[in-house]
Structure formats: C-alpha cells, structure tokens
Amino acid sequence: MRAPSEPVKGGSADVEEFARNIARIVEEGGKALAAYLKPREEGRRDDQYAEVTDVVKTIGQVADYWLRDPQRALELQSSLGKAYLDLWANAVKRMAGEQVQPVAEPDPKDKRFADPEWSSNQFFDFLKQAYLLTVQWANRLVRDAQGLDPHTRQKADFYVRQIANAIAPSNFILTNPELLRETLASNADNLVRGMHMLAEDIAAGRGDLKIRQSRSEMFEVGRNLALTPGKVIFENELMQLIQYAASTQTVLKRPILIVPPWINKFYVLDLTPEKSFVKWCVDQGLTVFIISWVNPDEHLAKKTFDDYVLEGPLAALGAVKQATGENKVHAIGYCVGGTLLAVTLAHMAAKRDHRIASATLFASQVDFTYSGDLKVFADEEQIAALERQMAERGYLDSRKMANSFNLMRSNDLIWPYVINNYFKGKDPVPFDLLYWNSDSTRMPAANHSFYLRNCYLNNNLARGKMMIAGKPIDLKAVKVPIYNLATREDHIAPAKSVLVGSSCFGGRVRFVLAGSGHIAGVINPPDRQKYQYWDGPKPAADADVDDWMATAKEHPGSWWPDWLAWLKKHGHEEVPARLPGTGKLKALEDAPGSFVKVRD
C-alpha cells in the first residue's frame, strides 16, 4: 500500500515555489480569520449555539440507547470491528497480488469517488472503503435504535448524515487523490487562490461563510434575468404586483395571478427567456400577474401571516380586477406561496368570496405530516430558540433559511463547492438557477413564527385549526378545481407530502407528479424535452406515491401543456390583448420592479 507522502502521479513540485505559496496561504488565511472575527469584535454578531446543542443532545440520545445495554453495545462494536478486519484482510490480499472484491462500494451516482485513483490506488481505495463502512455503521446506529421517538430518529438520521458528508475523505487534500495531484502540480497555487476566495466569501457573509455557487458577476436581475416585458401596476408594504405585456393579439379572458414563495424571489419563474414559465404563459395567450415580495427589514418585524394573506393575494386580486375589469382569476402558488394561496382560498371560502376560479399548486404543502427534513428544524425547542434570535433583529436572516436548504442536499450544494472553490481554487461555473438560489430574502419575525408553528410544528392547516383574521379556516370548504403538482425527487416539499395534501380539499383535485426535483421539475419548458410526468386519479388520504404511480399514466416531456389544457377547460373565452398600465392602475415602473433588486 502506498503511503500518502509518496508522490501521486501527475505531481511535480518546485520546493521554493511551494514554500512561497505556503506563506501566501498563511497570509490569506489571516485575512479569512480577520473577516470572521471582525463582526464579532465589533459586537455585530452574537453567535448562537442552539443548533450545536441540539446535535449533541440528539446524538447523545442515540448513544444512550446503545450504551444502556452492555451486550447490545458490544455487539455493535463487534460489527464495526469485523467490518474493518474484513477490509484489512482484503487489503493484504491485494498487496499480495490477489484479485479481491471490495468490501464496500459507493453508490454509482456518488460523484465524490469518480476519480479513477479512488479504485486504482490501494491507499485511496482503502480510505474510501473504510469511510463507507463507517457510514453504514453510523446509519445502523440510528436505524436500529428502537427506543427513539420518530422525530428524534429523524433528527438523528439528518445529523449523522451531515457529519458523514463532512468527514468524507474527498473533502481533505491529503485524502483526495485529485486534490493532491492538483496541489503538487501547481505548487499549492490552487490553495492560495482558494484561501483568497474563502476570505472573500466570509467577508461577503458578514462573518459567516457564504459559499459562492455561481459566478454572481455574470448575472443581474433586469439585465439577463427576469426579462419578460411588463409593468409594476400596484404596490404596498409587502409586495409589488407586476402585469406582463401580451405577446399575442388575443388573450384568455380570465387573468393568471401567481403567488411565489416569500422566502425566495419570484424570478425563479422568469429566469432566462428560454426557461421562463412567465414568458411561456404570455406566449400562450395568458394575461399574467405576479407578486414580487418585499425583502423585509426590522421595520416589518410585526407583519403577520394574516398581513401576508390580506396584503398579498387578496390585495393582488383587487388590483387585478382594477387593471382588467375581471371578477375572477386563475391563481397559481409555488412552494410556500402555494401554502399561502391554499390558506387564502380557505379564508375566502369562509367569507363566500369567489374571485378565484381555479387554483394551481406547484410543489406546495398543506398537510405537513410527511414534510421531510425541514421538520428537523421545527420542534418546540428549536423554534423557541429561533424566535429569540428573530426578536433581536425583527426578522430571520436570509442566510439561516438558505443554509437549511443547502444542508438538506449538502453533497450537491455545499461540499462540491468547498472542494472546487477553496481547494481547487476555481470559480464556479455561471448558472442562473444557483445565482437565484443564493439571492435569498429575509422573513418578518411574526410571520415566520406563525408559519413554523401552525404548519411544521402543529399541522394546524390540515387539522382545520389555523386561525386567519381571528376565525378558523377549513380546507374542506375549498371547492374550486385544483391542479396539484408534486415533483418526484423533491427534498423541500416531498412528493408524498404534496400527494397526501390532495385529500385536504373539498373539491376536484387533479394530482400530477413531475420528474426531477423542487425546481427543475417545475421549471421544465416543453421545448427542452426533459423529464416526464404522471397523471391519475385524486389520491386517497392514506395513499403512497409508489402505489399511486402503479395506476397512473406516464407522459414524456413537460407537464406545462397538460396544465394549460386543464386551465382552458375552466374558461376558454378570449378577449383582445391587454396593455399594462392603460387601465385604472397606471404603471409605476418597468418590470421586474425595485423590490426584487434589494439584496442582503
């Protein structure tokens, strides 16, 4: 077995240059440390340890289960010891020239071990297999800990997964053959560049690491993103309402109102023109309105969920009527925007308000029983700690939610960029979707606390116990037809969660399952011919995704044309195209407006 100090093929070090670069690394490291310490020394950062405390507490509960029974603990230790002995025996046989089968192999989709030397070099192959065996053992720790309640088990599984992802040998220079080759070949110049980028990213995160996932200088909202022509025709404290210019001579009589998530910016639905759902809708002869939420600061700390209903969708409905004269609209909600739309529909049903003719939900949850890994952050103790943090500023810092989303897919959204940026010293490739992903927003304290408690913690919306404007709301009272879209690989709104939510409504529901995940499954233009979708009957309350798919019909390509056909069944009358800003509401500014351009 080759020692790690032996040169890896491809390396040719210049000792003097290497030494100079080490000195530069130390210098850049000092800048990174200074960027980290500066806000703390100035009293602008109060480090919170609630997350670390919860990790330690949860892992401690797992350990306690195993250590309470000496026989059980011995069996667990023995299983790991046997796995390591089997690996060592294989390594000895391989050194002797024998052909052996690996004791552990990574998933074929695992890109961390794609470099050929992870298999051809015995040292790195040994490290890889030892890591995989350890991860399998750690997963067993959680899986077989029968004494844990379901929520603790879910948290333990999540935390163990994050620890396992962090300690992978691919994340360290001396245990990653590709990084070691590159470091030796460049005389550590890659690490100099990487440390410089690290210092920049800590400074950009105001003392926290804000990992760059895309070339931010390559994109700008209004320059090469969010380009569909339109006008801002209405605004209040919480949102601007954009009306898009028609590109056809006639349009569907009933307008479309889109309610995007307030935790992200609306232009995920209007990225580049070839990916824009908004532009596609306009080109199909639809009059499209979209809400652009404010990026709130401490002045909006007391804005409640009620305010988001009243000053968001309901205010927008009034503005759409003024702009078009139409009494009814087709409404669309995406992610938590869909949750907000569902709440609005239930509130309107209670008031016998029939201005929404149909509703479409994109990857939106209304029943949070199966809401996935985000429930890890939503128990009483963690929500209370988060509320204390929000009380200090009046809002949730945008980085908190962004970090939570990134952790849910850390092997896709964190560690590849750590390796590429800070070890290889390379800029990430320009990618509009990841630029949008990093362009996150803050959330008012009152609104976010209500959302976490009533949805994730207590599931009050599905249980009929959510209160809006002082009165309970009931989703069963919602009778409008609903197009309920889930995405098969969704990690934010899991397909099962969306599917189960279909049974919460009192009217007709068309459930459709799209291929791919939370973003790519929704933003899937027809001309790209990617992924697929399934349609079938309205799922039962206890339905499972696999069982539903067994009776569903698969269709190639985008679900967008299917949705349009469904929409036209609920009103196909056409009128002459509308020009934004020529009705009762005059244009305030050009799309995409000013609210969306406010960055943290």
Side-chain angles (χ1 to χ4, degrees):
M1 186 183 303
R2 187 169 68 201
S5 58
E6 294 181 32
V8 180
K9 60 185 179 183
S12 177
D14 179 323
V15 176
E16 292 185 4
E17 180 65 21
F18 196 92
R20 281 195 294 269
N21 281 335
I22 293 298
R24 293 171 63 196
I25 290 169
V26 173
E27 180 183 354
E28 294 293 344
K31 294 177 182 177
L33 181 61
Y36 173 80
L37 293 176
K38 182 178 179 181
R40 291 161 176 83
E41 292 172 344
E42 296 175 350
R44 292 187 286 112
R45 290 286 302 172
D46 293 322
D47 287 318
Q48 303 292 335
Y49 300 101
E51 296 91 343
V52 176
T53 300
D54 192 66
V55 173
V56 173
K57 177 183 174 182
T58 304
I59 300 300
Q61 289 175 286
V62 175
D64 180 67
Y65 167 81
W66 291 102
L67 294 175
R68 280 200 311 267
D69 185 333
Q71 181 62 35
R72 189 163 56 202
L74 179 61
E75 178 190 345
L76 188 70
Q77 294 172 26
S78 299
S79 67
L80 182 62
K82 182 180 182 304
Y84 285 162
L85 287 173
D86 290 343
L87 175 59
W88 183 254
N90 260 23
V92 172
K93 290 178 183 178
R94 183 172 174 181
M95 282 192 291
E98 292 186 40
Q99 293 290 326
V100 294
Q101 289 296 316
V103 174
E105 292 187 89
D107 188 300
K109 297 179 182 178
D110 193 339
K111 299 177 182 178
R112 294 175 297 175
F113 304 108
D115 189 276
E117 281 209 81
W118 283 112
S119 297
S120 64
N121 183 300
Q122 190 172 351
F123 171 74
F124 293 114
D125 186 42
F126 184 89
L127 281 178
K128 175 189 70 178
Q129 292 189 62
Y131 166 74
L132 294 173
L133 288 172
T134 305
V135 171
Q136 291 172 10
W137 178 80
N139 290 337
R140 182 191 165 191
L141 278 178
V142 177
R143 184 187 66 242
D144 294 348
Q146 301 299 324
L148 299 181
D149 65 88
H151 181 62
T152 301
R153 186 191 303 277
Q154 183 183 21
K155 290 202 297 182
D157 176 74
F158 181 82
Y159 294 147
V160 166
R161 191 162 69 247
Q162 299 313 313
I163 294 169
N165 292 345
I167 65 171
S170 54
N171 295 336
F172 304 93
I173 297 170
L174 295 179
T175 55
N176 183 324
E178 184 182 6
L179 292 180
L180 192 52
R181 285 198 308 269
E182 188 150 352
T183 301
L184 293 174
S186 69
N187 297 305
D189 188 59
N190 57 316
L191 301 182
V192 176
R193 298 191 305 271
M195 192 62 70
H196 180 75
M197 292 172 68
L198 179 66
E200 290 182 336
D201 289 353
I202 293 175
R206 300 190 295 277
D208 291 329
L209 177 60
K210 184 178 181 180
I211 301 174
R212 66 184 81 182
Q213 298 172 323
S214 181
R215 296 277 300 279
S216 59
E217 73 276 10
M218 302 293 289
F219 298 103
E220 183 182 350
V221 174
R223 176 171 62 85
N224 55 4
L225 297 173
L227 297 180
T228 305
K231 303 288 185 181
V232 174
I233 60 162
F234 174 84
E235 73 176 42
N236 57 30
E237 282 190 306
L238 288 183
M239 62 92 171
Q240 290 186 320
L241 184 67
I242 300 169
Q243 179 182 356
Y244 290 96
S247 62
T248 55
Q249 291 186 340
T250 60
V251 294
L252 205 66
K253 187 173 187 291
R254 284 182 181 159
I256 307 296
L257 171 62
I258 302 177
V259 184
W262 66 84
I263 62 175
N264 298 109
K265 295 187 176 177
F266 81 87
Y267 66 90
V268 67
L269 293 167
D270 189 27
L271 287 166
T272 55
E274 62 272 12
K275 294 181 182 177
S276 172
F277 176 75
V278 167
K279 182 180 185 302
W280 183 84
C281 287
V282 169
D283 290 343
Q284 306 311 305
L286 304 179
T287 302
V288 179
F289 294 81
I290 196 168
I291 289 173
S292 173
W293 296 105
V294 71
N295 193 348
D297 58 18
E298 63 276 7
H299 299 100
L300 298 176
K302 295 184 179 180
K303 285 293 183 180
T304 65
F305 202 90
D306 283 12
D307 293 325
Y308 269 72
V309 171
L310 298 172
E311 298 177 41
L314 288 178
L317 285 170
V320 170
K321 182 179 180 182
Q322 284 187 280
T324 65
E326 292 300 320
N327 291 317
K328 287 182 177 287
V329 308
H330 299 295
I332 299 173
Y334 189 3
C335 188
V336 295
T339 306
L340 180 67
L341 176 58
V343 170
T344 304
L345 286 166
H347 173 70
M348 293 173 70
K351 296 176 71 66
R352 292 181 171 80
D353 184 341
H354 304 296
R355 286 178 291 170
I356 293 179
S358 76
T360 299
L361 305 178
F362 296 164
S364 303
Q365 300 175 95
V366 295
D367 185 323
F368 288 75
T369 304
Y370 304 103
S371 53
D373 281 341
L374 278 176
K375 289 191 78 170
V376 167
F377 307 103
D379 54 35
E380 176 60 41
E381 188 174 348
Q382 292 191 86
I383 291 176
L386 191 63
E387 287 171 338
R388 290 193 294 271
Q389 293 178 36
M390 291 192 295
E392 295 177 3
R393 296 183 177 184
Y395 57 84
L396 179 68
D397 192 297
S398 63
R399 289 165 294 179
K400 295 284 291 186
M401 186 62 75
N403 289 340
S404 297
F405 286 144
N406 287 340
L407 279 171
M408 291 167 66
R409 291 178 54 200
S410 58
N411 274 345
D412 295 320
L413 296 176
I414 295 180
W415 298 112
Y417 296 99
V418 169
I419 293 169
N420 179 80
N421 301 357
Y422 311 133
F423 290 144
K424 293 183 180 179
K426 297 179 180 179
D427 283 319
V429 298
F431 189 11
D432 52 6
L433 193 55
L434 287 176
Y435 173 85
W436 167 84
N437 187 59
S438 67
D439 190 10
S440 49
T441 62
R442 299 177 289 263
M443 279 155 279
N447 173 55
H448 195 58
S449 175
F450 180 96
Y451 172 64
L452 290 178
R453 289 188 173 279
N454 281 269
C455 292
Y456 280 96
L457 183 61
N458 297 317
N459 204 19
N460 283 340
L461 178 56
R463 296 167 61 209
K465 294 187 176 183
M466 181 180 283
M467 304 287 289
I468 295 295
K471 295 183 179 180
I473 59 171
D474 182 7
L475 290 176
K476 286 295 184 184
V478 177
K479 305 295 185 180
V480 301
I482 291 175
Y483 190 102
N484 194 22
L485 178 81
T487 56
R488 192 176 184 185
E489 300 168 17
D490 202 324
H491 64 291
I492 294 173
K496 182 174 182 178
S497 184
V498 177
L499 177 144
V500 168
S502 297
S503 64
C504 292
F505 299 100
R508 292 171 293 160
V509 176
R510 176 175 174 79
F511 178 75
V512 174
L513 180 66
S516 195
H518 190 73
I519 304 298
V522 174
I523 310 304
N524 183 23
D527 57 5
R528 301 181 75 185
Q529 290 297 307
K530 293 185 70 175
Y531 313 122
Q532 72 275 74
Y533 69 94
W534 294 260
D535 63 1
K538 178 180 176 179
D542 59 348
D544 183 83
V545 175
D546 291 337
D547 293 339
W548 180 85
M549 287 183 66
T551 62
K553 183 177 180 181
E554 182 177 346
H555 305 271
S558 174
W559 55 269
W560 292 9
D562 176 78
W563 167 77
L564 183 63
W566 174 87
L567 189 77
K568 289 185 175 180
K569 289 179 181 178
H570 300 95
H572 59 271
E573 185 180 350
E574 295 185 349
V575 297
R578 300 161 172 129
L579 187 63
T582 58
K584 292 182 178 180
L585 295 178
K586 302 305 179 184
L588 303 178
E589 59 179 308
D590 290 336
S594 55
F595 279 22
V596 73
K597 295 180 181 179
V598 176
R599 296 177 64 91
D600 289 353

